[in-house]
């Protein structure tokens, strides 16, 4: 009832106020005992934002019926009946639709919708050594109408199941490899997203009572000289793909900036929301609601990035250059790290005498900062990714399909899987 809702609202507000006062007192006491460094002390902890009104269209008006999702899940899950080696498999289809309402004493009045439509699949397989390996397929778009065709989804799940079978038969590799490595698809994207996140925003480190001081990288080369990174603030669609991370305004009603972050390898700008930092004193429109969660908190989140090069290479030419570099180094084989929805963790060994690609099994390390900066080339072809903001890598990235690092050191070790009791396996199977 209305009265009970109002009473609960009053009670929750009182608890929130009392908690805030207590935290503020604790903070003041802490700062008296541990004053901030002089350069940090001049930066306000947050800025008052100008009044703004932005009322978006509700996300709740276009639901996908539960029966449609259930039927789609049932049809897709039938794929795994063709693969008796796989067990513990399932397909989940679900949607999240949220309207964020925000009314502040500063004059922000915001209604911001957000939607996401997920398809996830999981399957396990038992190795000859009585170990169990589990892999996951993940796809998320804005709504059911943004999905690929059902035939395309079924084809992807077949390829996912076949990949699991191939990986189960793959040879385990232990190798200290030094030479060129080609990163493809999701592997290229993840490499770039992680490196961009290292420099695009500055954080306060409570335990040290100071900023992380990343602002000192401004004006310095942090990326390979051929690479540039820009945050896109104006584009809702790129090459026909809907950008889920596009926001007309952020949670403060500030328009996200289209801004060069890195130009020819040099850090030019940093991003922030309403919390200024030494490297970014004013909001760049990056204060976002906390990623389709049950809270109404806001925080800094990177937007949609696009990575470009002043000399991109067609993928076919990049692949030939990759093989040529490996042969020139006198190697017998080289490696491709290839990830996508249908093959989540594929380590490919290429026989340089025959050119044959072989899926092998092993763990490998990520490139160091210096190895990444010695990047040789990226592909002209691009992939568009809508990212999960909970991962800390932003809301999306337009990434080259492939990246060639010529001077890599891969310490490849055998993968570890969990053992399973045979009786339990029989029950699950």
């Amino acid at each position: 009832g209305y009265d009970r809702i109002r009473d609960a609202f009053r009670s929750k507000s009182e608890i929130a106020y009392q908690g805030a006062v207590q935290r503020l007192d604790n903070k003041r006491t802490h700062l008296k005992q541990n004053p901030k460094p002089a350069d940090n002390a001049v930066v306000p902890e947050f800025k008052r934002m100008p009044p703004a009104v932005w009322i978006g269209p509700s996300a709740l008006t276009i639901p996908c019926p539960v029966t449609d999702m259930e039927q789609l899940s049932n049809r897709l899950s039938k794929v795994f009946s063709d693969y008796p080696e796989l067990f513990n498999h399932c397909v989940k289809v679900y949607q999240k639709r949220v309207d964020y309402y925000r009314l502040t004493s500063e004059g922000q009045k915001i209604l911001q919708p957000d939607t996401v439509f997920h398809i996830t699949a999981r399957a396990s397989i038992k190795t000859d050594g009585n170990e169990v390996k589990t892999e996951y397929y993940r796809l998320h778009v804005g709504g059911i109408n943004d999905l690929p065709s059902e035939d395309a989804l079924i084809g992807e799940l077949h390829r996912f199941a076949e990949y699991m079978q191939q990986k189960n038969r793959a040879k385990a590799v232990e190798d200290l490899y030094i030479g060129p490595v080609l990163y493809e698809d999701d592997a290229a994207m993840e490499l770039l997203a992680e490196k961009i996140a290292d420099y695009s925003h500055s954080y306060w480190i409570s335990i040290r009572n100071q900023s992380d001081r990343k602002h000192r990288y401004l004006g310095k080369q942090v990326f390979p000289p051929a690479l540039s990174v820009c945050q896109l603030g104006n584009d809702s669609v790129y090459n026909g793909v809907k950008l889920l991370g596009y926001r007309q305004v952020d949670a403060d009603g500030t328009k996200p900036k289209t801004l060069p972050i890195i130009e020819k390898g040099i850090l030019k700008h940093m991003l922030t929301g309403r919390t200024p930092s030494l490297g970014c004193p004013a909001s760049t429109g990056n204060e976002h609601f906390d990623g389709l969660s049950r809270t109404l908190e806001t925080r800094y989140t990177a937007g949609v990035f696009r990575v470009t090069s002043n000399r991109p290479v067609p993928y076919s030419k990049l692949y030939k250059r990759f093989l040529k570099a490996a042969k020139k180094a006198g190697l017998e084989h080289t490696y491709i790290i290839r990830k996508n929805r249908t093959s989540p963790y594929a380590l490919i060994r290429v026989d340089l005498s025959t050119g044959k690609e072989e899926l092998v099994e092993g763990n490998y390390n990520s490139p160091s900062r210096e190895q990444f900066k010695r990047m040789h080339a990226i592909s002209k072809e691009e992939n568009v990714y809508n990212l999960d903001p909970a991962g800390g890598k932003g809301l999306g990235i337009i990434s080259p399909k492939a990246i060639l690092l010529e001077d890599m050191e891969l310490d490849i070790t055998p993968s570890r899987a969990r053992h399973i009791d045979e009786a339990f396996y029989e029950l699950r199977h």
Side-chain angles (χ1 to χ4, degrees):
Y2 176 78
D3 291 337
R4 291 190 66 180
I5 290 175
R6 286 297 298 263
D7 185 61
F9 189 47
R10 179 201 60 77
S11 176
K12 289 286 187 182
S13 298
E14 182 179 5
I15 292 169
Y17 177 77
Q18 290 172 350
V21 169
Q22 183 62 53
R23 288 194 299 272
L24 183 59
D25 286 343
N26 293 342
K27 188 171 187 175
R28 285 171 173 162
T29 301
H30 177 77
L31 287 174
K32 285 180 180 179
Q33 298 170 352
N34 304 276
K36 293 181 180 180
D39 55 352
N40 285 265
V42 300
V43 179
E45 296 198 15
F46 68 92
K47 285 199 169 185
R48 292 189 64 85
M49 303 302 291
V53 177
W54 193 85
I55 308 298
S58 173
L60 308 181
T61 57
I62 313 175
C64 175
V66 173
T67 53
D68 289 359
M69 293 189 289
E70 184 178 14
Q71 291 168 8
L72 175 61
S73 177
N74 289 337
R75 292 193 298 269
L76 294 179
S77 63
K78 289 179 181 178
V79 166
F80 293 108
S81 63
D82 295 337
Y83 303 91
E85 293 177 62
L86 304 184
F87 69 101
N88 195 28
H89 42 72
C90 68
V91 175
K92 294 181 181 180
V93 178
Y94 59 98
Q95 65 177 334
K96 289 183 179 179
R97 296 176 297 126
V98 173
D99 283 345
Y100 295 109
Y101 293 84
R102 190 166 190 240
L103 182 65
T104 74
S105 57
E106 295 174 322
Q108 283 96 40
K109 186 177 182 181
I110 308 292
L111 189 168
Q112 191 171 93
D114 205 357
T115 65
V116 69
F117 193 92
H118 286 274
I119 295 180
T120 63
R122 179 198 67 216
S124 299
I125 194 167
K126 188 178 74 165
T127 69
D128 293 338
N130 205 35
E131 294 179 332
V132 169
K133 295 179 181 178
T134 303
E135 300 280 4
Y136 297 88
Y137 167 98
R138 294 181 176 93
L139 169 65
H140 68 280
V141 294
I144 192 169
N145 295 328
D146 299 316
L147 288 173
S149 69
E150 191 166 321
D151 286 344
L153 290 172
I154 289 172
E156 286 196 355
L157 288 175
H158 274 294
R159 291 194 295 276
F160 171 71
E162 290 160 3
Y163 154 80
M164 289 198 65
Q165 291 179 320
Q166 293 168 7
K167 192 170 184 183
N168 195 42
R169 295 189 293 267
K171 183 189 301 181
V173 169
E174 188 166 1
D175 188 8
L176 180 58
Y177 170 84
I178 300 175
V181 177
L182 190 63
Y183 292 78
E184 292 186 1
D185 298 326
D186 293 25
M189 176 275 292
E190 290 173 1
L191 175 59
L192 288 167
E194 288 172 1
K195 301 301 182 186
I196 294 170
D198 284 343
Y199 300 104
S200 59
H201 177 66
S202 182
Y203 290 93
W204 179 261
I205 305 174
S206 298
I207 195 169
R208 297 182 187 172
N209 198 40
Q210 66 176 23
S211 160
D212 59 15
R213 308 187 67 77
K214 287 183 182 175
H215 67 285
R216 293 177 299 170
Y217 286 106
L218 285 165
K220 293 183 171 59
Q221 184 183 332
V222 296
F223 262 38
L227 285 189
S228 296
V229 180
C230 178
Q231 175 176 262
L232 303 181
N234 301 321
D235 301 313
S236 61
V237 176
Y238 186 86
N239 282 353
V241 179
K242 182 179 178 181
L243 300 176
L244 299 188
Y246 171 71
R247 303 284 186 272
Q248 291 188 45
V249 298
D250 71 356
D252 289 320
T254 303
K255 182 175 174 55
K257 288 188 177 180
T258 294
L259 194 67
I261 308 303
I262 296 168
E263 287 185 341
K264 296 181 180 179
I266 296 174
L267 183 63
K268 292 290 187 178
H269 295 98
M270 301 179 81
L271 303 172
T272 193
R274 70 176 306 159
T275 304
S277 68
L278 288 169
C280 196
S283 172
T284 53
N286 287 84
E287 187 76 17
H288 293 141
F289 291 102
D290 195 8
L292 287 167
S293 69
R294 293 182 178 272
T295 72
L296 283 175
E297 295 177 357
T298 67
R299 61 185 176 89
Y300 161 80
T301 306
V304 179
F305 292 119
R306 186 183 177 208
V307 181
T308 57
S309 171
N310 56 6
R311 51 175 191 272
V313 179
Y315 173 78
S316 58
K317 187 175 180 180
L318 183 65
Y319 190 89
K320 291 176 182 177
R321 188 180 293 182
F322 160 62
L323 296 181
K324 184 178 179 181
K327 290 176 181 177
K328 187 177 179 181
L331 301 170
E332 295 181 354
H333 61 265
T334 185
Y335 289 98
I336 299 170
I337 297 175
R338 183 181 293 152
K339 297 183 181 181
N340 50 52
R341 288 197 297 269
T342 59
S343 53
Y345 299 98
L347 178 63
I348 310 294
R349 185 167 63 183
V350 184
D351 187 322
L352 292 174
S353 61
T354 64
K356 181 182 177 182
E357 293 186 3
E358 177 189 13
L359 179 65
V360 295
E361 177 71 11
N363 293 326
Y364 45 85
N365 51 296
S366 298
S368 68
R369 180 185 301 176
E370 290 306 313
Q371 288 169 336
F372 173 70
K373 285 171 68 174
R374 294 194 292 268
M375 181 207 75
H376 185 72
I378 69 172
S379 68
K380 197 171 186 178
E381 295 83 351
E382 296 176 314
N383 291 333
V384 182
Y385 293 94
N386 290 309
L387 303 179
D388 180 356
K393 299 171 185 174
L395 300 174
I397 184 170
I398 299 160
S399 164
K401 172 182 171 58
I403 300 174
L404 174 57
L405 300 186
E406 273 204 349
D407 188 15
M408 263 298 294
E409 182 176 307
L410 283 184
D411 185 5
I412 303 172
T413 57
S415 299
R416 294 180 179 178
R418 64 185 178 92
H419 285 269
I420 188 170
D421 183 84
E422 191 65 28
F424 178 73
Y425 167 76
E426 293 296 334
L427 286 171
R428 295 302 297 269
H429 204 59

